[in-house]
Amino acid sequence: MKDAFGTPQSLLILGGTSEIGLAIARRMIARRARTVWLAGRPSPELEHAADSLRTLGADVRTVPFDALDPAPHAEVLGKVFTEGDIDMVLLAFGVLGDQANDEGDPPAAVRVAQTNYTGAVSAGLICAAALQNQGHGSLVVLSSVAGERARRTNFIYGSSKAGLDAFAQGLGDALYGTGVHVMVVRPGFVRTRMTSGMPDAPLATTPEAVATAVELGLRRRSETVWVPGALRVVMTALRHTPRSLFRRLPL
Amino acid sequence: MNQGGLLWANARVCVSFFDDTRLITHFGESIGHCKNVGISGDTVLAMSPDAPSAPADPAQPHTPVSTNTPQSHTAETHGDEDDPFVSISGWGRTAPTTARVLRPRTAAEAAAVVQGWGARGGIARGLGRAYGDAAQNAGGCVLDMTGLARIHTIDGQAGTVVCDAGVSLHRLMEVLLPLGWFVPVSPGTRQVTVGGALGADIHGKNHHASGSFSRHVESLELLTANGEVQTLRPGSDLFDATTGGMGLTGVILSATVRLHRVETSLMSVDTERAADLDELLARLTTDDHRYRYSVAWIDLLARGKALGRSVLTRGEHAPLTALPSRARHQPLDFRPGRLPAPPAQLPRGLLNRTTVGLFNEFWYRRAPRSRTTELQPLTRFFHPLDAVPHWNRIYGGDGFVQYQFVVGHGQEEALRSIIQRIARRGCPSFLAVLKRFGTSDPGWLSFPMPGWTLALDIPAGLAGLGSFLDELDEEVATAGGRIYLAKDSRLRPELLDVMYPRLPDFRALRAHLDPQGVFTSDLSRRLAL
Ligand SMILES: Cc1cc2nc3c(=O)[nH]c(=O)nc-3n(C[C@H](O)[C@H](O)[C@H](O)COP(=O)(O)OP(=O)(O)OC[C@H]3O[C@@H](n4cnc5c(N)ncnc54)[C@H](O)[C@@H]3O)c2cc1C
Ligand SMILES: NC(=O)c1ccc[n+]([C@@H]2O[C@H](COP(=O)([O-])OP(=O)(O)OC[C@H]3O[C@@H](n4cnc5c(N)ncnc54)[C@H](OP(=O)(O)O)[C@@H]3O)[C@@H](O)[C@H]2O)c1
C-alpha cells in the first residue's frame, strides 16, 4: 500500500532496463519499496538491473515483456498481479528511433510507433484493469515534451509520444474515482543512453531529477508532471507559437 | 475567493437547516463541483435524542443490506447502481482507496455480508476518525457500522450500558448525561463509535487514572471470520487481541460498557502555564494523581529556553455543589454548539510556520498563568475541535498526518530530543498534546505504556516530512517506545515488530482464526499486520 505521502511499497516497471525507470526504482526503494518487478525483453542487462536493485535490499523479480508483441501481455502481466498488489506501475519503455533514417525506412518508423504507442496501449489497459481490481495504485507513464508539439526533427518519436500522452490522459479520466491514479510525466532532455552522444538541449536534466519529480507527483496525486518544472511554461509558449514560425525554430 | 465565500455560506445554511437530522454528510449536498471526494471520515453525526435506529431502506426491500445509502455517503460513486465503489480515506485525508461500502442494520445482516465479501476481504469502519488507513480496504468491502446504532439497555443502578458497536460516543453522552452517567473514556472527539473505541482501544485524558477504553468493558460480541458470534470477556486471548486489534479479528457487534457517575455536565478545571519542558514534566509527575483528567497543550514551535512551553489543563467533573445556584436545576444539560464548517476545498499551505507560530503564541499568552476550579462545559474541556465540523479540511488537498508516539518513564531525554528536533525543523503543528500515561493496558496491540505520549498534526505536504518522521520513529523505537496505529499512515513496517512485542501472538491468532484473511484493511496490508 502507498503511505500518506504516496510512496509505494511494490513496483512494476515496464522497460526494466530503462535508466529513468531504474532511478525511480532506486528512489522508491530508499523510501518504502520492498517488492520490484522488472518487465522487459530478456537480456543480461535486465538481470543485471535486477541484481543492482537487490543490493539495495529489494525483492526483485523479472518477467519477459516485449512491447512489440502484445499477444502475451495479458497473461504475463496478469500473473504479476496475482502474486500480490502493485502500488505503482511505471511505463518506462520506449525507443527514440533515428528520424533521419526512419523517414526513408517506414517499417523502422512503424516500430517506433508500435513500441511507444500501441505497446503502451496494450500494457496500459491491462495494468489499469488490474489496478482497478485492487482499488488502489498509480500508473505512471513516461511521456515526453516531444509529444506536446511534434517537431520537424523528431516527429516520428514525437507523434508516438503524443498518442501515448493523449491515451494516458484519457485513461486517467476514465479511472477517476476508482482509486487508481494515472500520472503523465513529461520530461525534457534527460541524460541517459537514449540521448547519449547528443548535445544537451536547454533545460537538460537527469534521471534522478525525474525520480524526484515523480516522488512529489505521487504525494500530490498530480495528473501531469513536467521535468524540469520550468518546461510547463516553455511548452505553453511553444504550443501557441504560429506554425510558420515554429517550423523555423532551431529545436 | 468569491467562490470560497459562497461555499462557506452554503455550508452554514446546511448546518442550521439540518440541525436535528440524524445523519448529515456535509460534502456533496451544497458543493456541486466537488466530485469524487469520497468518504474521508467526514460523516457527522448529529442525532436528536429520540432518534430511533434507522428504519430499513424502503427502496430496497429485497436486499438485506443497503449498499452505500444516501444518508451515509452522499459522496460521488463511480459506475452504476450495482457497482457502488466509493473512495475512502481516514481523517487525515491521505492515501484514498476505493471499496464497496456496505451498511448493515442488524447483526444478522452483518454476518451475511462477512460471509460473502470475496477475495479482497473487508473491514469494519466506524466514523472514520482514525487518521490513516485503518478503516479502509482497497478493492474489497468496508462495513459501515453506523447503521448498527441501537442503545439496548441502560442499567442506571450498576451504571452500565449495552449498545451496538455503531453507536457514537456523542450519542451515548446525549442519552447518558441526563441520567447522570458519563462514558468511561473520551478521546479528543465525540465522533467515534464504540466499535472504533474498542478497535483502537482508545485512551483519554484520564488514562493515568482509568486506563484505556477496553478496561471498562464487561463483555463484547464479536463476529468472526467463520460467521460465528462469540461473547468475549476481559482476560481471554481473543478479547485482548480484539481490543486494539484495529478490526482485524472480526466485527464488534455490541458491547457492555461500565460508566462513570457524574453530578453535572460541567468540568472543574485548573489551568496553568509551564514555561518549559522541565517544568511541564515536573508538574505532571508531582500532581497528576490529584486529577482524574490531565493534558498539556504544547507549543512545538517554541525553541531554546522556551522549548516545551505548554498550557496544562487538568480537571474533574464538577460536583453539584460547585455550580452557582441558578445552574443547579439543570445540572446535566448537554448542548454542544457547532460552528460552520470550512469550505471543502482549501489551498495548500494555509498552515505554515508563520500562521501556526502566531496561533501558538496567542494560545500560550491567552492562557492564565494559573487559574483554579474554573467551570467549563464538558464539550469545551474534552472536544474543543468538535465545534468546527470538518476542521480537517484546513490542511487542503494534501491532507495531514498525525504523529503520536509514547516513550516510557526514564526516557525523558528521548522525549526532549524529539521535541527539539520538531522545534528545530519548524513543523507547523498547532496544539500538539502531551500526556502522561498510566499503566499499560492488556490489549496485545494497545498503544499506551507508562510514560509520555506526544501527538501532533503536520501538513502532509511539508517537504521531506516522510524521511523526517522515519528518523523520529528510529528514536522512538530505540527508546523502547511505539507509535499509535489509529493515527498512523506511514510507519516503516519493519519497526512495528520492535514496537509491539505481542505482534507475533497477534499474527498467530489471526492465522488460526482467519486463515483466508477475511478481515483485511489497507493498514494491515501496509504494515503486514
Ligand atoms: C479530533 C480527534 C481526536 C482524537 N483523540 C483521540 C484521543 O484522545 N485518544 C485516542 O485514543 N484516540 C483519539 N482519536 C482517534 C480515534 O479515537 C480513533 O481512531 C477511533 O478508533 C475512531 O473511531 P471511529 O468510530 O471513527 O473508527 P474508525 O476510524 O472508523 O475505525 C478505527 C479502527 O477501528 C476499527 N473498528 C471500527 N468499528 C469497528 C467494529 N464495529 N468492530 C471492529 N473494529 C472496528 C476499524 O476497523 C479501524 O481499524 C482522535 C481522533 C480525532 C479525529
Ligand atoms: N531520455 C530522455 O531524454 C527522455 C525524455 C523524455 C522521455 N523519455 C522516455 O522515458 C522512457 C525511458 O527512457 P530512458 O531515457 O530511461 O531510456 P532507456 O534507458 O533507453 O530505456 C528504454 C527502455 O525501453 C525498453 N524497450 C525498448 N523497446 C522495447 C520493447 N520493444 N519492448 C520492451 N521494452 C522495450 C528498453 O529495453 P531494452 O533493454 O530491452 O532495450 C529500455 O528498458 C522512454 O519512454 C522515453 O521515451 C526519455
Side-chain angles (χ1 to χ4, degrees):
Chain A
M1 297 302 305
K2 283 190 289 190
D3 67 8
F5 309 114
T7 320
Q9 294 180 308
S10 51
L11 318 175
L12 165 59
I13 299 184
L14 303 168
T17 58
S18 146
E19 285 189 41
I20 298 178
L22 290 170
I24 295 172
R26 285 193 298 272
R27 178 67 56 85
M28 298 306 159
I29 293 168
R31 301 290 185 246
R32 287 287 183 274
R34 291 293 170 270
T35 307
V36 181
W37 292 87
L38 295 182
R41 295 179 291 194
S43 68
E45 288 74 32
L46 186 64
E47 292 313 318
H48 179 254
D51 285 338
S52 74
L53 297 183
R54 280 186 196 111
T55 60
L56 302 176
D59 170 19
V60 188
R61 278 175 279 180
T62 57
V63 280
F65 169 81
D66 184 348
L68 291 170
D69 179 17
H73 285 183
E75 196 197 325
V76 173
L77 298 176
K79 257 198 208 118
V80 171
F81 283 87
T82 57
E83 300 265 329
D85 283 13
I86 300 292
D87 300 338
M88 175 180 127
V89 178
L90 177 68
L91 299 194
F93 57 89
V95 287
L96 192 54
D98 177 356
Q99 176 83 25
N101 171 69
D102 296 354
E103 282 178 30
D105 182 358
V110 166
R111 273 197 300 281
V112 172
Q114 284 182 335
T115 306
N116 295 351
Y117 179 60
T118 56
V121 168
S122 164
L125 288 174
I126 290 160
C127 292
L131 291 174
Q132 198 178 340
N133 272 335
Q134 306 179 156
H136 72 104
S138 290
L139 176 63
V140 180
V141 178
L142 294 186
S143 174
S144 168
V145 288
E148 185 68 7
R149 185 156 185 189
R151 285 178 286 135
R152 168 66 193 93
T153 49
N154 77 344
F155 64 84
I156 297 174
Y157 174 78
S159 65
S160 73
K161 286 293 185 185
L164 169 68
D165 198 291
F167 167 77
Q169 288 181 51
L171 188 63
D173 288 342
L175 291 174
Y176 189 70
T178 64
V180 182
H181 157 233
V182 178
M183 184 162 89
V184 177
V185 182
R186 297 189 189 131
F189 184 100
V190 188
R191 290 180 208 105
T192 67
R193 64 181 162 154
M194 184 179 269
T195 52
S196 65
M198 298 162 66
D200 271 15
L203 297 175
T205 186
T206 60
E208 286 66 34
V210 180
T212 303
V214 166
E215 194 181 1
L216 179 66
L218 286 173
R219 195 188 77 206
R220 295 191 160 173
R221 297 191 285 272
S222 307
E223 293 176 325
T224 317
V225 169
W226 299 83
V227 201
L231 277 173
R232 181 189 294 273
V233 185
V234 173
M235 291 314 292
T236 306
L238 281 182
R239 193 166 45 228
H240 294 100
T241 308
R243 275 280 285 282
S244 53
L245 177 60
F246 185 75
R247 76 169 65 95
R248 278 181 283 141
L249 288 179
L251 293 167
Chain B
M1 266 304 67
N2 245 342
Q3 205 176 25
L6 185 69
L7 294 180
W8 184 269
N10 279 345
R12 199 188 318 244
V13 172
C14 291
V15 171
S16 54
F17 181 73
F18 286 110
D19 243 4
D20 60 1
T21 45
R22 308 220 167 93
L23 186 60
I24 317 169
T25 313
H26 277 271
F27 48 87
E29 336 98 320
S30 61
I31 302 154
H33 68 266
C34 167
K35 288 183 117 192
N36 281 298
V37 271
I39 308 175
S40 51
D42 275 6
T43 43
V44 175
L45 267 181
M47 290 178 163
S48 60
D50 57 347
S53 63
D57 188 349
Q60 296 177 318
H62 302 302
T63 37
V65 181
S66 60
T67 50
N68 182 31
T69 52
Q71 5 30 331
S72 63
H73 320 114
T74 47
E76 233 17 64
T77 60
H78 72 86
D80 47 19
E81 280 303 297
D82 33 345
D83 188 24
F85 276 78
V86 184
S87 175
I88 300 175
S89 70
W91 189 246
R93 304 171 90 211
T94 52
T97 61
T98 46
R100 209 144 61 91
V101 176
L102 303 165
R103 191 163 185 270
R105 317 258 186 183
T106 63
E109 283 182 4
V113 168
V114 169
Q115 288 303 290
W117 65 22
R120 290 190 68 84
I123 193 75
R125 180 180 178 92
L127 283 164
R129 258 40 177 203
Y131 281 75
D133 48 7
Q136 58 196 62
N137 176 29
C141 289
V142 165
L143 205 60
D144 173 353
M145 294 299 289
T146 58
L148 263 105
R150 279 180 56 208
I151 296 175
H152 294 268
T153 53
I154 299 167
D155 184 334
Q157 293 301 305
T160 55
V161 60
V162 182
C163 66
D164 285 347
V167 173
S168 70
L169 296 193
H170 174 84
R171 178 84 180 118
L172 284 180
M173 286 175 211
E174 276 183 334
V175 171
L176 296 170
L177 266 173
L179 305 174
W181 295 103
F182 190 61
V183 295
V185 167
S186 177
T189 170
R190 298 184 298 282
Q191 302 298 345
V192 304
T193 63
V194 169
L198 284 166
D201 198 13
I202 61 170
H203 55 268
K205 296 182 180 185
N206 58 348
H207 187 273
H208 62 288
S210 314
S212 67
F213 198 89
S214 67
R215 296 233 221 149
H216 307 271
V217 169
E218 292 186 348
S219 69
L220 63 84
E221 306 266 297
L222 184 74
L223 171 64
T224 51
N226 58 10
E228 276 172 24
V229 177
Q230 299 193 30
T231 303
L232 307 179
R233 284 179 217 291
S236 72
D237 278 359
L238 191 48
F239 184 95
D240 290 344
T242 298
T243 54
M246 305 308 287
L248 294 168
T249 58
V251 179
I252 300 166
L253 295 171
S254 64
T256 305
V257 182
R258 268 192 312 274
L259 302 166
H260 178 64
R261 186 50 124 178
V262 296
E263 291 178 13
T264 73
S265 59
L266 293 172
M267 302 300 295
S268 168
V269 182
D270 291 0
T271 306
E272 320 152 64
R273 286 195 212 163
D276 58 30
L277 191 63
D278 287 332
E279 188 185 340
L280 174 65
L281 299 188
R283 291 211 186 165
L284 291 173
T285 305
T286 49
D287 45 34
D288 243 13
H289 64 275
R290 294 201 285 117
Y291 300 91
R292 172 178 294 273
Y293 301 100
S294 159
V295 78
W297 303 115
I298 178 166
D299 177 0
L300 288 178
L301 282 174
R303 298 167 58 167
K305 273 211 202 108
L307 185 85
R309 71 172 179 181
S310 359
V311 179
L312 278 85
T313 52
R314 300 187 283 186
E316 175 55 275
H317 295 278
L320 194 57
T321 50
L323 267 54
S325 50
R326 66 198 141 71
R328 283 192 202 166
H329 57 273
Q330 273 192 325
L332 291 161
D333 228 23
F334 178 64
R335 269 179 299 171
R338 300 244 251 112
L339 299 167
Q345 256 137 39
L346 282 171
R348 306 192 155 93
L350 217 55
L351 296 185
N352 52 47
R353 212 176 298 181
T354 312
T355 55
V356 172
L358 284 169
F359 177 87
N360 284 4
E361 185 69 31
F362 160 77
W363 192 264
Y364 181 74
R365 299 278 162 217
R366 190 195 73 150
R369 257 173 234 291
S370 165
R371 175 172 62 199
T372 54
T373 63
E374 181 202 7
L375 289 181
Q376 281 186 8
L378 183 149
T379 50
R380 187 165 127 218
F381 182 73
F382 286 106
H383 322 113
L385 286 168
D386 280 0
V388 186
H390 307 286
W391 60 263
N392 55 347
R393 288 177 184 162
I394 60 175
Y395 287 90
D398 286 343
F400 67 110
V401 167
Q402 177 157 104
Y403 190 68
Q404 181 170 6
F405 68 88
V406 56
V407 292
H409 291 302
Q411 295 295 340
E412 288 72 19
E413 278 320 303
L415 178 69
R416 179 189 312 280
S417 148
I418 293 173
I419 291 175
Q420 233 154 20
R421 289 174 80 149
I422 296 170
R424 229 181 289 134
R425 168 102 194 178
C427 284
S429 51
F430 68 116
L431 297 189
V433 169
L434 189 129
K435 157 137 199 84
R436 203 176 130 266
F437 272 154
T439 51
S440 302
D441 305 292
W444 291 357
L445 301 187
S446 288
F447 167 66
M449 62 163 75
W452 308 100
T453 184
L454 179 71
L456 57 145
D457 291 345
I458 316 169
L462 197 71
L465 182 60
S467 321
F468 177 65
L469 294 181
D470 284 352
E471 288 166 25
L472 298 193
D473 287 343
E474 297 291 341
E475 270 200 69
V476 169
T478 309
R482 56 173 71 125
I483 65 107
Y484 189 10
L485 289 179
K487 309 284 177 81
D488 180 55
S489 55
R490 31 76 38 206
L491 181 69
R492 195 158 64 80
E494 290 81 355
L495 277 181
L496 198 69
D497 292 76
V498 182
M499 295 177 167
Y500 287 90
R502 303 240 25 203
L503 199 57
D505 299 324
F506 184 77
R507 290 199 180 111
L509 179 135
R510 273 189 82 211
H512 175 70
L513 191 73
D514 181 9
Q516 319 286 345
V518 167
F519 295 106
T520 305
S521 63
D522 287 358
L523 176 87
S524 77
R525 283 199 188 91
R526 179 168 58 82
L527 293 179
L529 267 170

